[in-house]
């Protein structure tokens, strides 16, 4: 028997038992894909629910301390002598029971400590005194809280007015301002160990949700085998994919619904515990205040149960009652965020299931085995791409579904999740023209205006670059032209100089008073132009600058294409009586098409995202009228600090370029087909 026959017999003897055994059902790619997809779906669901419960428990712990501090702040403001500008705080505050935390009341005025209930501030360190160098953190904290209050009042901003500071060893310090006559007078603090017991969702249920779809898929495969329709591992088994998606999605959604329902009950339990704490605080603080009634702002449902911005949550009302409607509204927001996360988990599971069920996994495994050394060599580059490209890309997409700003960057994702709100705001705002008292004006901040300017910018710049590049390439390709090499060096210099240096030079040239362009206009009796005050003139500054930067590239590409055209074609055309113009249209342009089309495609992508020229020359002036999409996204992120909105803006830019990329691919293939 030959070696080939021996191998065939061996493979047949090995394949037979595998196909008939239980392992063939459980290890089939469709079954493995179902197992992995269900594990991903149930694991991510368990993780998201665990994170949400942990955030709820942490928030409840913070709110419990904040309730005590808000009550203490009311006492400090209401007790006789609390509004004194100096001296010690009333002795009744020193009798404040420590409960399970250490409370402090600090009256600050700049770098001076006017009064303090801290036992360490006694003897030589008794107030009033100037803060020590080691107490700079206290000075910074006082300034930060005061600035947050004033900013939020003036601008309705979102700066935190409650600071939660981890101190290490499980200790946490919570600080918030207290007010006297409506002004910030000082700080109340609590420092205590943070002990949070989080009730996690059942991991047994999550494991069952991962295994059940696997077994059901194995049963489906057994039924298919009984009907002599055993799917090939490398084949596209759409039926297995659809059934697996239904099973995995159904079981995963049932698991998520159960976990979300349990989370709602868990949230209600935390609210009841907070309500009991609220009542306990009212009783203890009333005792501390010498039996005086605790003042509550008239008309306010609750002045103690607030968030980190000191905005009333409205869940726990006066007397410790729970507002069911407010609690349900908060639960609805959390459930909405978790529901959107479940859809994302299902999408990830569907991708994994398709990868295995449609045969891609088997073919990938075969390719890895066959080309394992090649993949081993490119592994470092793949790892670098994963860290430097794909992770930021995926993170940016996730960020686009939040309302994250510089003020809430440390908030959990459930608190800043916005869904598709950013995309709706970007794409849904079609009011390019707005009516004002002075008449109709163009809204230069509108997305569609910026998109229009970006398209005009791209088309005009590519047209200028191709036209100038073509003319100069034709001139340099002239036979018998002297000093050709010198001309080439001089004409390539604009491309060789870094574009940001060129942009700054051109910006100086457009200066209204000292710019060389206006100086030249004045030499011929003209008036200097305020280039950056008009929409069209400011647009022209960018066009001229980028035209200067772009023509050398096109010139070099087209010149190379011209020199590759056979001269025999021109000689034959001349014999046939064709003019120079006819030769250009019938020979030169068709022959240059394979060269020009890829260059134009690349130029479009470069120009569409030409950040430096717009940002450094015109800055988008006037009033943002000449912003392009990339500079607009940059300013939203790093001048307005709206990170989530800027991320959504960037994703929209990516989708636009993706559509163009499809067009680019088809155009390139069409060009290749024409030249073959």
């Amino acid at each position: 028997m030959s070696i080939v026959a021996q191998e065939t017999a061996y493979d047949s003897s090995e394949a037979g038992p595998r196909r008939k055994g239980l392992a063939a059902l459980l290890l089939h790619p469709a079954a493995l894909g179902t197992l992995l997809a269900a594990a991903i779906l149930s694991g991510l669901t368990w993780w998201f629910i665990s994170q949400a419960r942990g955030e709820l428990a942490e928030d409840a712990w913070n709110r419990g301390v904040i309730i005590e501090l808000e009550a203490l702040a009311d006492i400090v403001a209401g007790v006789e002598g609390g509004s004194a500008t100096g001296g010690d705080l009333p002795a009744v505050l020193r009798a404040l029971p420590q409960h399970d935390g250490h409370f402090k009341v600090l009256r600050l005025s700049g770098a001076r400590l006017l009064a303090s209930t801290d036992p360490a501030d006694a003897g030589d360190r008794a107030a009033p005194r100037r803060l020590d160098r080691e107490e700079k953190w206290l000075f910074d904290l006082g300034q930060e809280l005061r600035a947050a209050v004033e900013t939020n009042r003036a601008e309705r901003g979102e700066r935190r007015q409650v600071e939660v500071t981890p101190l290490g060893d499980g200790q946490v310090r919570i600080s918030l301002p207290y007010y006297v006559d409506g002004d910030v007078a000082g700080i109340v603090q609590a420092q205590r160990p943070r002990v949070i017991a989080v009730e996690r969702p059942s991991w047994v249920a999550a494991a069952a949700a991962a295994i059940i779809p696997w077994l059901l898929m194995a049963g489906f495969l057994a039924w298919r085998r009984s009907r002599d329709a055993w799917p090939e591992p490398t084949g596209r088994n759409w039926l297995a994919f659809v059934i697996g998606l239904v099973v995995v999605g159904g079981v995963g959604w049932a698991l998520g619904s159960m976990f979300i329902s349990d989370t709602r009950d868990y949230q209600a339990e935390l609210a009841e515990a907070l309500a009991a704490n609220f009542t306990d605080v009212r009783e203890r603080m009333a005792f501390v205040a010498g039996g005086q009634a605790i003042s509550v702002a008239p008309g306010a449902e609750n002045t103690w149960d607030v968030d980190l911005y000191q905005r009333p949550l409205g869940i726990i009302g006066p007397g410790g009652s729970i507002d069911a409607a407010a609690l349900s509204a908060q639960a609805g927001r959390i459930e909405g965020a978790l529901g959107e996360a479940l859809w994302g988990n299902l999408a990830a599971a569907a991708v994994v299931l398709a990868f295995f069920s449609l045969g891609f996994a088997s073919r990938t495994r075969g390719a890895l085995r066959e080309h394992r050394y090649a993949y081993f060599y490119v592994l470092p580059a793949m790892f670098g791409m994963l860290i430097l490209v794909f992770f930021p890309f995926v993170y940016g997409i996730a960020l686009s579904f939040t309302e994250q700003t510089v003020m809430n960057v440390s908030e959990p994702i459930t608190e800043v999740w916005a869904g598709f709100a950013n995309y709706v705001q970007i794409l849904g705002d079609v009011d390019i023209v707005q009516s004002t008292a002075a008449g109709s004006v163009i809204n230069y901040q509108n997305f569609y205006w910026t998109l229009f300017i970006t398209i005009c910018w791209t088309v005009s710049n590519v047209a200028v670059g191709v036209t100038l590049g073509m003319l100069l390439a034709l001139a340099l390709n002239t036979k018998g032209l002297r000093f050709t090499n010198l001309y080439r060096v001089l004409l390539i210099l604009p491309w060789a100089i870094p574009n940001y240096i060129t942009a700054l030079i051109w910006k100086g040239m457009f200066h209204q008073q000292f710019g060389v362009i206006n100086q030249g206009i004045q030499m011929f009796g003209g008036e200097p132009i305020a280039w950056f005050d008009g929409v069209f003139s400011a647009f022209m500054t960018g066009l001229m600058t980028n035209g200067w930067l772009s023509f050398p590239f096109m010139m070099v590409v087209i010149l190379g294409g011209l020199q590759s055209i056979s001269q025999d074609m021109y000689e034959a055309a001349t014999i046939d009586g064709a003019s120079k113009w006819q030769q250009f249209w019938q020979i030169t342009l068709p022959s240059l098409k394979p060269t020009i089309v890829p260059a134009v495609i690349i130029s479009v992508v470069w120009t569409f995202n030409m950040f430096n020229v717009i940002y450094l020359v015109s800055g988008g002036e006037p009033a943002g009228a000449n912003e392009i999409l990339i500079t607009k996204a940059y300013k939203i992120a790093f001048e307005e600090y709206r990170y989530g909105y800027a991320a959504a803006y960037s994703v929209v830019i990516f989708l636009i370029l993706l559509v163009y990329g499809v067009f680019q691919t088809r155009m390139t293939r069409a060009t290749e087909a024409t030249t073959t």
Side-chain angles (χ1 to χ4, degrees):
M1 183 181 294
S2 66
I3 296 178
V4 175
Q6 290 178 1
E7 291 181 352
T8 304
Y10 176 79
D11 291 340
S12 300
S13 63
E14 290 292 320
R18 282 202 302 269
R19 283 183 176 272
K20 295 179 181 179
L22 179 62
L25 298 173
L26 298 178
L27 299 180
H28 190 276
L32 287 177
T34 303
L35 174 63
L36 186 56
I40 290 175
L41 180 57
S42 59
L44 288 177
T45 300
W46 186 91
W47 185 82
F48 274 113
I49 299 296
S50 297
Q51 291 294 108
R53 292 192 180 190
E55 292 165 5
L56 283 172
E58 182 178 345
D59 178 67
W61 189 90
N62 290 339
R63 286 167 60 193
V65 180
I66 291 172
I67 286 173
E68 296 181 273
L69 290 176
E70 289 286 349
L72 177 59
D74 274 357
I75 294 173
V76 173
V79 171
E80 184 179 358
S83 60
T85 57
D88 216 352
L89 288 176
V92 67
L93 296 180
R94 294 193 182 280
L96 181 70
Q98 295 303 304
H99 191 45
D100 58 348
H102 180 65
F103 294 98
K104 298 178 185 178
V105 180
L106 306 168
R107 182 184 290 276
L108 296 170
S109 177
R112 290 188 60 79
L113 179 65
L114 301 180
S116 172
T117 61
D118 190 349
D121 294 326
D124 296 339
R125 294 180 55 82
R129 63 177 177 82
R130 187 174 182 83
L131 295 175
D132 297 334
R133 178 176 298 180
E134 292 77 12
E135 295 174 310
K136 183 179 182 301
W137 66 270
L138 182 57
F139 169 79
D140 293 339
L141 177 63
Q143 296 295 101
E144 184 177 344
L145 292 178
R146 184 181 297 275
V149 172
E150 294 175 353
T151 301
N152 289 344
R153 286 177 177 176
E155 304 176 5
R156 296 181 180 179
E158 294 186 352
R159 297 190 63 176
R160 283 189 175 186
Q161 296 178 193
V162 179
E163 288 295 327
V164 181
T165 308
L167 301 177
D169 297 331
Q171 294 284 326
V172 176
R173 181 179 63 230
I174 298 183
S175 311
L176 57 86
Y178 73 87
Y179 308 88
V180 174
D181 297 330
D183 296 326
V184 177
I187 302 172
V188 290
Q189 288 183 341
Q191 180 176 328
R192 62 178 63 178
R194 173 179 280 171
V195 180
I196 302 176
V198 182
E199 183 182 335
R200 302 290 181 183
S202 172
W203 64 268
V204 176
I211 295 175
I212 290 175
W214 180 36
L215 298 178
L216 291 176
M217 178 57 73
F220 165 74
L221 293 174
W223 174 76
R224 294 281 288 173
R225 186 174 63 182
S226 67
R227 299 176 61 87
D228 296 329
W230 180 257
E232 291 295 332
T234 58
R236 294 188 177 184
N237 194 349
W238 288 99
L239 181 60
F241 169 70
V242 173
I243 292 178
L245 185 61
V246 171
V247 173
V248 170
V251 174
W253 198 259
L255 176 71
S257 300
M258 182 183 69
F259 281 171
I260 290 176
S261 178
D262 292 344
T263 302
R264 190 184 188 100
D265 296 337
Y266 182 61
Q267 181 188 12
E269 294 175 5
L270 293 174
E272 292 176 0
L274 271 176
N277 181 59
F278 185 93
T279 304
D280 178 61
V281 168
R282 176 179 287 274
E283 294 175 354
R284 288 190 296 106
M285 293 302 178
F287 171 78
V288 171
Q292 298 183 29
I294 303 300
S295 60
V296 179
E301 294 180 352
N302 179 28
T303 57
W304 291 354
D305 187 23
V306 296
D307 60 11
L308 298 179
Y309 304 93
Q310 285 193 312
R311 298 174 300 199
L313 295 172
I315 296 176
I316 302 178
S321 61
I322 298 178
D323 189 326
L327 181 63
S328 178
Q330 185 189 51
R333 290 192 295 270
I334 296 175
E335 290 175 10
L338 291 175
E340 293 180 355
L342 291 182
W343 280 111
N345 298 345
L346 181 59
V351 171
V352 172
L353 183 61
F355 182 71
F356 280 85
S357 298
L358 303 183
F360 297 109
S362 298
R363 289 193 288 272
T364 301
R365 182 178 61 181
L368 290 175
R369 285 181 176 178
E370 182 179 358
H371 307 290
R372 56 184 178 273
Y373 294 112
Y375 284 109
F376 178 77
Y377 291 143
V378 302
L379 185 61
M382 295 172 63
F383 181 76
M385 290 287 291
L386 179 66
I387 299 298
L388 300 177
V389 177
F390 294 113
F391 174 75
F393 177 73
V394 174
Y395 180 79
I397 293 178
L399 188 64
S400 69
F401 293 100
T402 69
E403 53 183 12
Q404 188 178 98
T405 66
V406 70
M407 301 301 179
N408 59 13
V409 69
S410 60
E411 293 287 336
I413 191 171
T414 54
E415 294 295 327
V416 297
W417 187 263
F420 291 95
N422 290 328
Y423 295 98
V424 172
Q425 184 178 354
I426 293 171
L427 302 177
D429 183 12
V430 295
D431 296 329
I432 301 178
V433 180
Q434 295 180 337
S435 298
T436 63
S440 298
V441 296
I442 296 177
N443 178 18
Y444 295 136
Q445 306 306 317
N446 185 274
F447 167 78
Y448 292 101
W449 171 263
T450 307
L451 177 61
F452 169 73
I453 290 297
T454 305
I455 294 174
C456 293
W457 161 260
T458 303
V459 173
S460 59
N461 274 280
V462 172
V464 169
V466 172
T467 303
L468 290 178
M470 176 73 74
L471 294 175
L472 292 172
L474 290 172
L476 291 176
N477 196 49
T478 303
K479 288 185 177 180
L481 181 66
R482 302 179 62 184
F483 308 113
T484 302
N485 293 333
L486 176 61
Y487 296 148
R488 289 179 180 179
V489 171
L490 293 177
L491 291 173
I492 206 70
L493 282 179
W495 193 31
I497 298 174
N499 58 14
Y500 68 90
I501 294 178
T502 303
L504 292 175
I505 293 173
W506 276 84
K507 182 178 182 178
M509 292 169 61
F510 286 116
H511 192 277
Q512 183 177 1
Q513 182 177 0
F514 305 108
V516 66
I517 295 178
N518 278 343
Q519 294 288 337
I521 293 174
Q522 289 176 307
M523 288 176 60
F524 292 96
E527 293 294 327
I529 301 174
W531 290 97
F532 303 114
D533 290 349
V535 177
F536 180 75
S537 59
F539 182 87
M540 291 303 298
T541 62
L543 180 61
M544 286 186 278
T545 304
N546 200 59
W548 173 262
L549 288 168
S550 60
F551 82 80
F553 170 74
M554 285 296 177
M555 181 193 69
V556 171
V557 171
I558 295 174
L559 182 60
L562 288 173
Q563 293 179 348
S564 66
I565 300 175
S566 175
Q567 294 299 315
D568 295 340
M569 300 175 65
Y570 292 103
E571 294 175 359
T574 302
I575 294 174
D576 291 339
S579 64
K580 293 294 183 180
W581 187 250
Q582 290 175 326
Q583 293 178 23
F584 175 77
W585 280 102
Q586 301 298 326
I587 299 176
T588 305
L589 279 185
S591 300
L592 286 177
K593 185 177 179 181
T595 302
I596 294 179
V597 170
V600 168
I601 291 172
I602 294 174
S603 181
V604 167
V605 175
W606 285 351
T607 308
F608 197 90
N609 287 324
M610 182 55 69
F611 176 86
N612 286 349
V613 172
I614 295 294
Y615 187 79
L616 295 176
V617 178
S618 69
E621 295 297 331
N626 279 298
E627 298 279 6
I628 61 174
L629 292 175
I630 191 68
T631 60
K632 184 68 174 177
Y634 173 84
K635 290 186 176 181
I636 292 173
F638 299 107
E639 293 184 6
E640 301 177 16
Y641 302 107
R642 300 165 62 192
Y643 301 138
Y645 190 84
Y649 219 92
S650 301
V651 171
V652 172
I653 297 174
F654 166 74
L655 293 177
I656 294 173
L657 290 177
L658 180 63
V659 172
Y660 176 75
V662 175
F663 167 78
Q664 167 189 350
T665 302
R666 293 183 178 180
M667 283 292 296
T668 304
R669 289 176 179 174
T671 303
E672 292 174 353
T674 302
T675 58
T676 56

